[in-house]
Amino acid sequence: MSQTTTFEQPKTGTWDGGNEPFKASYGKLMMWFFLLSDAFTFGAFLTTYGLARHRHRSFEEAQALLPEAQRLQEFEFSTQWWPIPEKVFNAFPGFHGVDWPLAFVALMTMILILSSVTMVLAVEAGHRMDKKDVQKWLLWTILFGSMFLGCQAWEWTHFIAGDETGMTLADGSKIYGANLIVNQYGPPLFADLFFFITGFHGTHVLSGVVLLILIFINTVNGVYHRRGHYEMVEKVGLYWHFVDLVWVFVFTFFYLV
Amino acid sequence: MSSTDISLHNDVHSGHDEHHDDHHDQSFIEKYIFSQDHKVIAKQFLFAGIFWAIIGGTLSSLFRMQLGFPEATFTFLEPLLGKWVEGGKLDPNFYLALVTMHGTIMVFFVLTAGLSGTFSNFLIPLQLGARDMASGFMNMLSFWFFFIASIIMFYSLFLETGPAAGGWTVYPPLSALPQAIPGSGAGMTLWLVSMAIFIVSQLLGGVNYITTVINLRTRGMSMAKMPLTIWAFFLTAVLGLLAFPVLFSAALLLIFDRSFGTSFFLSDIYVAGEALTHTGGSPILFQHLFWFLGHPEVYIVILPTFGIVSEVISTCARKPIFGYRAMIGSMLGIALLSFVVWAHHMFVSGMNPFLGSVFMFLTLIIAVPSAVKVFNWIATIWRGNINFTPAMLYSIAFVSLFISGGVTGIILGNSALDIQLHDTYFVVAHFHLVMGSAAFFGMFAGVYHWFPKMFGRMMDEKLGYVHFWITFICAYLIFMPMHYMGIAGFPRRYYTWTGFDTFSTFLDMNSFITIAAIVVFVGQFIFLFNFFYSIFRGRRATENPWKSNTLEWTTPVNPGHGNWPGPLPVVYRWPYDYSKPGAQEDFIPQNVPFSQTASSNLPHERDFE
Ligand code: HEM
Ligand SMILES: [Cu+2]
């Protein structure tokens, strides 16, 4: 069976080998698959949230169990029921004592969505091989990303410090704010999950910002221009949109249900 | 076949001559330590896997001695194990640690990293006709992350409080409370850290395998012309990619429960009369998260060997694999189903019985694709012109073990029967046959079969036969009796059972199992000798010693960096053209065009001529 030269050609369909069936380089595919697996990590955390939420009574459910006379008219923080998010996240930096439910987190979400828009623009500029524009839009994305992190830092600080309402325990003592063990807003698990999940997401944003800074430096140095394509920007872009998307889910779980 | 690369064999050099300077002028470090060549990385995984298998086996011999000879004193172990053996008696905590580390090491470090790491790395580029993995750098990182995870896990063996001891499934609250048992202290922390790093390594490897299969197939290598090995490695990588992140989540949450006071898995616990502050969490949640990984994990262990065994059986029976598409379909089915059956491990943990019956139904369906595979293997062997190489013996034995262990799986899958059988030796027997032994046999088949391509030399067949028969006979001698004990209710994970009168009848049986276990452990040294001796002194191999069809056998005896010296091979046909009627030889490699095989072409293949 000696190998004589042959002019016979193998098949050349999309899936017949020797090409990229998804028209995507291996690097981009890898990013996609990494994100798929990361989605499962977040999925597990959000499932944990769902289960914990399910194991606790809501305020109404808890009231319904009490005799008519003992029912509370107004929502109060208590370890006996899961807090109503609007009552927990109602503060705004610089405006002490206001009750603006979810205003601040809405702002944070806006900032993150804006950063996704500027990311799209950076990728698009990369397709045009427009170094100036790539730089500009990357900078905006870094800025919005960092702003989001700043907001989150404020949100955490506020959550940890608590407000003067506090929570009255059975023995009459009061607790203010929250950490991983005690929680003024409700069952400790609520705070645990808040810190853990938003923290995990924040770590992703932080890594994203670091990646953006790295590719910004490379862009400034003309690395991608010399390479002839800005695929790296696209890959980081995929990651950035994913982190954005995850936030939408985190937001829905923590703030809306 | 051979005319293509004659010129390259003038400088036959053993890939292991460390001081040999070859034309790539890479330093020793680049070439053998921080190598980005998939073949070297595969061997690194293989050596690491062998190292871990020896450790894992040693641990099982130790706890088996305790189980088999409960009244004996093991004073001779004292110099080695120090205070773990007092007055010749194994410390109960030490026993728990042994079982835990045995399971962890075997499942994750040997049969996941060692098996996939070796064969996916070695065979994916070679059988697809690629120069290397998609990203050699990430592939290298994957090994080194595994290496760091290994160091941490190994180090934990030497802690004063011992390594993790809550079972390889590390269920909280036992694993979450350092005050519960010594093994839940620093050992457990290191276990979690090591596993987190291990998962990173798996992901790095996994995305690489998947993208390589998608993007780097050579011209003509369509998905339906891929060897079954590649399909198996591909699906294994997909399973790992989707299942391991969930274990990662569970491990992180557990780390927080242990070290930062959170209550994800803990609620209302008293330890030594003292109430803990944790409230609201659920230990069952951990079980769900763990087994969402854990069940796919057992397929991550067995799928690669499905591929290896299919390949070896077809080659050595000189027959096309029976039902190629059914083989792919059944692997897809198994991969899919493996994500929806996890709760069959939790039938008795307080789950809603209705949910239990749903999971029972889904679990029993897995028997269908599994049976398809078994029938296809048997049909492939049926009336074949069998070449009984050691690899073939291991593959046939694999089928036998897979059947024996699979049948008991169907029994366990019934939630009513599982009430009696859960946590008994019946379970131990089941998973050791179907996963432990079968996967090990598949791995041995792979090593014996691809050794010539890995090291350019042949392993000794006689020693291979001796090793095979010892291992095969002992595997059944060890695990068959365990079924009887299990049905009688003999519980697993018990350090001592002599306190229960019911079980005293099992004294002889336990001693018997232990003796068989020690024989098989010693028998593995035959393999080790054969392996290392053959690397240096084995008979020199030819390019294609088994007359096989797949592309790796078209490379030179010692493929260099880039695998093929000339252009990449091109693929025209599926990999199983063995004993094709009318052909000159009983095999037609994938890169032979139809125009050269006019005498054997089937009617529909005439069009390709
Ligand atoms: C010489 C061969 C082997 C022997 C004699 C052996 C023996 C045992 C025994 C007796 C147990 C149960 C201990 C108890 O319940 O207290 C056990 C547990 C286990 N073994 Fe093996 N084993 C062997 C090989 C393997 C292999 C190849 C694997 C790889 C999958 C494996 C994986 C496990 C696992 C996962 C457990 C459960 C650990 C736990 O429950 O914590 N074993 N083994
Ligand atoms: Cu299972």
Side-chain angles (χ1 to χ4, degrees):
Chain A
M1 219 170 299
S2 71
Q3 215 96 7
T4 49
T5 10
T6 166
F7 297 106
E8 191 177 333
Q9 287 299 314
K11 290 196 184 171
T12 52
T14 319
W15 283 93
D16 278 327
N19 62 2
E20 296 172 342
F22 292 120
K23 308 255 180 305
S25 70
Y26 77 81
K28 254 197 250 174
L29 281 185
M30 283 183 169
M31 185 51 92
W32 275 109
F33 287 116
F34 165 71
L35 295 179
L36 189 64
S37 96
D38 212 24
F40 272 70
T41 312
F42 275 109
F45 291 143
L46 292 178
T47 309
T48 306
Y49 181 89
L51 213 100
R53 172 70 193 78
H54 182 73
R55 284 167 61 86
H56 288 82
R57 293 198 178 90
S58 69
F59 176 62
E60 289 85 17
E61 282 162 358
Q63 295 310 307
L65 292 176
L66 293 175
E68 196 88 42
Q70 291 173 26
R71 288 190 194 160
L72 293 173
Q73 295 312 310
E74 284 284 301
F75 173 80
E76 250 176 46
F77 293 138
S78 158
T79 49
Q80 300 305 307
W81 50 78
W82 204 254
I84 297 175
E86 288 173 17
K87 307 286 180 192
V88 183
F89 306 103
N90 60 357
F92 206 90
F95 296 86
H96 189 80
V98 294
D99 177 20
W100 293 350
L102 305 186
F104 187 60
V105 54
L107 178 72
M108 283 168 68
T109 310
M110 281 306 295
I111 292 174
L112 205 59
I113 289 175
L114 263 180
S115 81
S116 248
V117 174
T118 56
M119 190 72 231
V120 171
L121 292 171
V123 172
E124 188 269 339
H127 285 308
R128 287 186 282 114
M129 295 297 289
D130 185 340
K131 184 175 153 186
K132 276 256 157 49
D133 266 19
V134 176
Q135 284 174 23
K136 179 174 79 187
W137 293 121
L138 280 183
L139 256 186
W140 277 110
T141 317
I142 294 171
L143 183 76
F144 286 133
S146 317
M147 270 170 73
F148 177 85
L149 286 174
C151 292
Q152 205 168 32
W154 183 85
E155 170 117 322
W156 271 44
T157 321
H158 182 78
F159 193 82
I160 293 168
D163 55 21
E164 50 277 6
T165 353
M167 181 200 283
T168 318
L169 296 181
D171 63 3
S173 65
K174 285 203 131 208
I175 47 173
Y176 299 99
N179 56 35
L180 292 172
I181 295 152
V182 291
N183 173 13
Q184 126 180 11
Y185 312 99
L189 211 51
F190 177 75
D192 291 353
L193 285 159
F194 174 79
F195 286 120
F196 192 92
I197 296 181
T198 61
F200 197 71
H201 177 264
T203 314
H204 274 70
V205 178
L206 182 66
S207 324
V209 171
V210 171
L211 286 176
L212 284 168
I213 292 175
L214 289 179
I215 61 169
F216 176 73
I217 294 171
N218 280 345
T219 311
V220 172
N221 291 339
V223 175
Y224 305 130
H225 214 79
R226 262 174 273 130
R227 204 178 275 171
H229 57 78
Y230 281 83
E231 196 186 276
M232 204 50 164
V233 179
E234 275 183 65
K235 283 185 249 179
V236 177
L238 284 176
Y239 175 80
W240 192 257
H241 296 315
F242 170 78
V243 172
D244 229 21
L245 183 70
V246 169
W247 175 254
V248 173
F249 280 95
V250 173
F251 177 80
T252 314
F253 268 70
F254 270 95
Y255 299 95
L256 300 184
V257 290
Chain B
M1 267 302 299
S2 47
S3 54
T4 29
D5 24 48
I6 282 182
S7 57
L8 290 136
H9 293 156
N10 302 342
D11 67 332
V12 179
H13 53 90
S14 133
H16 305 280
D17 185 355
E18 278 151 19
H19 306 289
H20 184 93
D21 233 328
D22 83 346
H23 20 269
H24 308 303
D25 48 66
Q26 286 171 313
S27 65
F28 172 78
I29 300 231
E30 264 176 72
K31 211 166 155 212
Y32 296 106
I33 314 269
F34 293 107
S35 171
Q36 299 190 17
D37 183 335
H38 71 102
K39 300 183 290 299
V40 179
I41 296 173
K43 288 176 207 170
Q44 289 174 324
F45 270 113
L46 180 58
F47 288 122
I50 290 177
F51 167 81
W52 275 119
I54 296 172
I55 306 270
T58 311
L59 301 183
S60 71
S61 303
L62 285 174
F63 65 67
R64 226 20 272 188
M65 290 204 300
Q66 163 66 29
L67 289 170
F69 304 99
E71 310 297 345
T73 45
F74 305 109
T75 2
F76 67 96
L77 288 173
E78 268 172 41
L80 178 67
L81 298 170
K83 73 173 182 52
W84 289 123
V85 188
E86 256 172 56
K89 288 284 170 203
L90 254 58
D91 183 275
N93 281 305
F94 180 54
Y95 175 88
L96 295 177
L98 285 174
V99 177
T100 304
M101 294 314 280
H102 164 74
T104 306
I105 289 170
M106 289 298 194
V107 174
F108 293 112
F109 287 67
V110 180
L111 294 176
T112 303
L115 180 62
S116 281
T118 305
F119 290 102
S120 296
N121 266 316
F122 192 73
L123 292 178
I124 288 178
L126 279 171
Q127 292 196 330
L128 288 179
R131 299 257 177 235
D132 207 318
M133 281 293 180
S135 166
F137 179 69
M138 274 168 60
N139 209 15
M140 175 186 84
L141 280 188
S142 162
F143 176 76
W144 287 103
F145 270 98
F146 168 61
F147 193 79
I148 296 171
S150 295
I151 299 226
I152 296 175
M153 196 60 89
F154 189 66
Y155 174 76
S156 82
L157 291 170
F158 300 98
L159 289 175
E160 173 150 21
T161 47
W168 76 286
T169 55
V170 297
Y171 283 177
L174 183 59
S175 62
L177 302 173
Q179 61 272 53
I181 48 168
S184 291
M188 193 60 223
T189 306
L190 291 188
W191 191 98
L192 288 166
V193 172
S194 168
M195 283 311 294
I197 298 173
F198 179 90
I199 292 167
V200 173
S201 146
Q202 285 300 303
L203 294 183
L204 284 166
V207 288
N208 231 328
Y209 304 152
I210 295 174
T211 37
T212 307
V213 172
I214 291 178
N215 265 12
L216 266 67
R217 283 168 290 122
T218 187
R219 290 193 299 136
M221 179 67 87
S222 65
M223 298 300 272
K225 290 201 185 79
M226 292 199 309
L228 289 173
T229 30
I230 304 296
W231 269 104
F233 300 148
F234 178 70
L235 292 174
T236 307
V238 173
L239 288 191
L241 194 78
L242 303 183
F244 270 116
V246 177
L247 179 66
F248 188 71
S249 305
L252 277 188
L253 292 170
L254 189 54
I255 288 176
F256 268 69
D257 271 5
R258 289 172 49 78
S259 308
F260 304 106
T262 58
S263 315
F264 298 116
F265 303 130
L266 300 172
S267 190
D268 311 317
I269 295 172
Y270 286 80
V271 172
E274 173 214 358
L276 304 184
T277 54
H278 304 279
T279 122
S282 158
I284 303 282
L285 172 64
F286 181 88
Q287 300 192 11
H288 280 296
L289 295 179
F290 181 88
W291 287 112
F292 186 84
L293 157 91
H295 188 83
E297 167 63 23
V298 307
Y299 285 99
I300 290 171
V301 164
I302 206 75
L303 270 169
T305 62
F306 283 173
I308 290 171
V309 163
S310 305
E311 189 65 27
V312 171
I313 283 188
S314 175
T315 304
C316 295
R318 313 307 294 161
K319 274 183 67 187
I321 192 84
F322 187 91
Y324 172 76
R325 277 174 196 260
M327 286 302 225
I328 298 175
S330 55
M331 281 197 281
L332 280 167
I334 288 175
L336 216 77
L337 284 170
S338 72
F339 279 105
V340 290
V341 299
W342 76 86
H344 61 212
H345 296 276
M346 301 163 59
F347 283 144
V348 296
S349 52
M351 193 172 58
N352 183 330
F354 174 73
L355 211 59
S357 57
V358 173
F359 277 100
M360 169 173 114
F361 175 70
L362 291 166
T363 300
L364 295 181
I365 295 179
I366 289 208
V368 177
S370 308
V372 168
K373 298 204 77 72
V374 167
F375 284 123
N376 285 354
W377 284 318
I378 295 175
T380 308
I381 300 169
W382 185 255
R383 308 190 61 190
N385 179 11
I386 301 179
N387 196 352
F388 285 105
T389 61
M392 183 62 168
L393 288 179
Y394 270 105
S395 301
I396 297 173
F398 169 95
V399 178
S400 155
L401 291 163
F402 189 68
I403 297 172
S404 316
V407 165
T408 54
I410 299 179
I411 298 172
L412 290 167
N414 291 278
S415 53
L417 296 180
D418 192 55
I419 296 172
Q420 159 74 1
L421 295 173
H422 179 70
D423 262 347
T424 67
Y425 264 76
F426 194 84
V427 177
V428 176
H430 154 70
F431 73 72
H432 276 88
L433 282 181
V434 73
M435 174 173 89
S437 307
F440 252 88
F441 274 57
M443 188 146 105
F444 280 130
V447 172
Y448 280 102
H449 194 76
W450 278 285
F451 191 88
K453 203 34 69 185
M454 288 184 179
F455 299 104
R457 290 169 185 269
M458 311 292 287
M459 285 179 81
D460 187 87
E461 295 218 334
K462 297 248 165 36
L463 287 179
Y465 294 138
V466 177
H467 172 228
F468 168 77
W469 285 110
I470 294 180
T471 313
F472 182 60
I473 292 172
C474 286
Y476 272 114
L477 290 186
I478 293 170
F479 298 117
M480 268 300 159
M482 286 189 189
H483 292 96
Y484 297 101
M485 300 198 301
I487 293 171
F490 197 98
R492 68 189 282 217
R493 290 178 174 152
Y494 273 34
Y495 155 76
T496 178
W497 43 275
T498 40
F500 307 92
D501 271 346
T502 10
F503 300 137
S504 52
T505 45
F506 292 115
L507 183 62
D508 293 342
M509 204 180 251
N510 264 319
S511 315
F512 176 82
I513 293 176
T514 297
I515 291 166
I518 289 171
V519 170
V520 79
F521 180 71
V522 173
Q524 300 316 303
F525 287 94
I526 301 174
F527 169 79
L528 287 177
F529 171 77
N530 194 354
F531 182 82
F532 287 106
Y533 182 83
S534 305
I535 288 179
F536 299 104
R537 290 283 154 78
R539 204 155 40 82
R540 284 200 192 281
T542 53
E543 284 118 60
N544 191 356
W546 317 121
K547 300 197 195 316
S548 189
N549 284 343
T550 39
L551 293 181
E552 75 273 29
W553 306 106
T554 64
T555 61
V557 175
N558 285 302
H561 203 74
N563 297 340
W564 284 268
L568 291 176
V570 169
V571 167
Y572 299 94
R573 57 178 77 233
W574 78 327
Y576 298 106
D577 267 343
Y578 291 108
S579 305
K580 201 171 177 188
Q584 289 151 331
E585 293 195 54
D586 71 347
F587 70 113
I588 312 176
Q590 285 195 278
N591 61 341
V592 176
F594 287 103
S595 57
Q596 288 180 25
T597 55
S599 62
S600 66
N601 287 352
L602 300 171
H604 71 274
E605 289 165 348
R606 301 253 156 78
D607 310 340
F608 303 134
E609 278 175 20

